[in-house]
Amino acid sequence: MTDSLLTVSGLCKNFGGLAALDDVRMSIRPGTIHGLIGPNGSGKSTFINVVTGVIQPNAGSVSIGGTDVAGRRSNVVNAAGIARTFQNLRLFRAMTVLDNVLIGEHRHLGYGLGSALLMRNGPAERRAKEQAMGLLSDVGLSHRAETIAGSLPYGEQRLLEIARALATKPKLLMLDEPLAGMNPTEMDRVVSILREIVSRGVTILLVEHAVRVVMSVCDHISVLNFGRNIAEGTPREIQGNEDVIVAYLGRRRHAA
Ligand code: ADP
Ligand code: MG
């Protein structure tokens, strides 16, 4: 149990009469890419939203690196080491790519948006800018630094979201469908970026529809269905799991 970066147990979230998360548990080992899959509406985004403090759980415990963050606000969760991207992008579309990452850094340092834009020329700002350029380089967007974020191709907007999340120096990065809308070439590029991020010591939770990618890139996979854990294991184990096949296909294999 000590060899777990994120430990979640008994996590519940109800929306009216709907149990979007029903007694969910998860244990993520440091230095891994942990996949979270499940059919549409199975609770994957709700899981990320509850763990990162965007919405409040009805019950359950969440611990990151030994710090209990269940029910804490998202800035507290972020300070404890969890950053995330959103399924629906949340960039500052009218600002440059570089400024989007700088704002991520400033929020991390506790400055407001106004000071992020005003304090541009001190030594701290130069360091912040260097760091932001480094993060853009990590996701292959250096050449886009001065581009207006909203004008980037969709795939690059997703990469920018990842750079902005990394600006808060997380231990754990939670990605909600980072490959959505990408072609296979773009997907391969993101996959190699994810591997690079992990090699630098950041652990990743990957929520993704592209099952081929999840199977090839993840060390371990958790599967949800109707807000409940239905399977847990290596990609190989998950691929052969009857409950998972039923959840995805909606029928037993022998009935096919
Ligand atoms: P997934 O990301 O796996 O597709 P979600 O976590 O988005 O699934 O949704 C899980 C269930 O919770 C769905 O039935 C969805 O309609 C419901 N749900 C999600 N967010 C809300 C909300 N804010 N209000 C009411 N119901 C919600
Ligand atoms: Mg979702």
Side-chain angles (χ1 to χ4, degrees):
M1 282 316 286
T2 50
D3 195 22
S4 175
L5 175 62
L6 181 81
T7 308
V8 172
S9 67
L11 198 63
C12 296
K13 177 66 195 179
N14 305 320
F15 293 115
L18 173 81
L21 297 176
D22 184 0
D23 196 23
V24 171
R25 69 189 123 65
M26 194 179 299
S27 173
I28 301 183
R29 292 167 57 117
T32 60
I33 301 183
H34 190 113
L36 174 59
I37 64 172
N40 254 329
S42 56
K44 306 180 296 296
S45 293
T46 302
F47 179 83
I48 293 185
N49 287 338
V50 169
V51 168
T52 58
V54 173
I55 57 179
Q56 301 297 303
N58 293 98
S61 68
V62 177
S63 142
I64 172 79
T67 305
D68 183 11
V69 293
R72 305 300 299 274
R73 291 162 53 128
S74 50
N75 58 328
V76 175
V77 178
N78 187 221
I82 307 181
R84 55 91 51 90
T85 62
F86 288 86
Q87 185 168 356
N88 304 309
L89 297 170
R90 294 197 183 175
L91 296 169
F92 294 102
R93 298 177 54 82
M95 295 175 62
T96 67
V97 165
L98 178 61
D99 281 342
N100 267 276
V101 180
L102 282 172
I103 283 171
E105 289 181 359
H106 275 84
R107 290 217 167 139
H108 178 57
L109 296 172
Y111 300 131
L113 181 59
S115 56
L117 297 174
L118 289 172
M119 303 170 16
R120 302 199 80 145
N121 295 310
E125 287 310 294
R126 273 200 301 279
R127 268 200 306 281
K129 189 171 168 182
E130 267 169 34
Q131 228 174 73
M133 287 303 297
L135 290 169
L136 288 177
S137 155
D138 292 346
V139 300
L141 288 181
S142 311
H143 62 298
R144 298 289 210 185
E146 298 305 328
T147 304
I148 297 299
S151 74
L152 289 178
Y154 191 64
E156 293 190 343
Q157 293 192 23
R158 293 209 159 269
L159 289 171
L160 175 55
E161 272 238 323
I162 293 175
R164 195 176 57 168
L166 287 172
T168 67
K169 299 194 192 322
K171 299 184 184 108
L172 175 64
L173 176 62
M174 299 185 126
L175 303 173
D176 199 350
E177 302 204 18
L179 306 175
M182 291 189 180
N183 64 41
T185 312
E186 292 172 313
M187 285 189 192
D188 288 346
R189 180 169 160 214
V190 177
V191 163
S192 65
I193 288 168
L194 296 187
R195 291 202 164 108
E196 181 68 29
I197 290 170
V198 168
S199 78
R200 293 180 191 194
V202 178
T203 302
I204 291 178
L205 175 81
L206 177 64
V207 168
E208 192 41 63
H209 257 306
V211 173
R212 173 186 71 88
V213 174
V214 173
M215 292 298 168
S216 75
V217 80
C218 292
D219 303 288
H220 194 89
I221 297 172
S222 300
V223 189
L224 294 181
N225 195 24
F226 297 115
R228 294 173 153 245
N229 295 93
I230 61 162
E232 189 74 43
T234 63
R236 182 183 287 268
E237 288 164 349
I238 294 302
Q239 264 168 323
N241 184 296
E242 186 80 9
D243 291 337
V244 176
I245 295 164
V246 171
Y248 271 91
L249 301 180
R251 53 177 156 65
R252 294 269 158 204
R253 195 164 23 179
H254 60 248

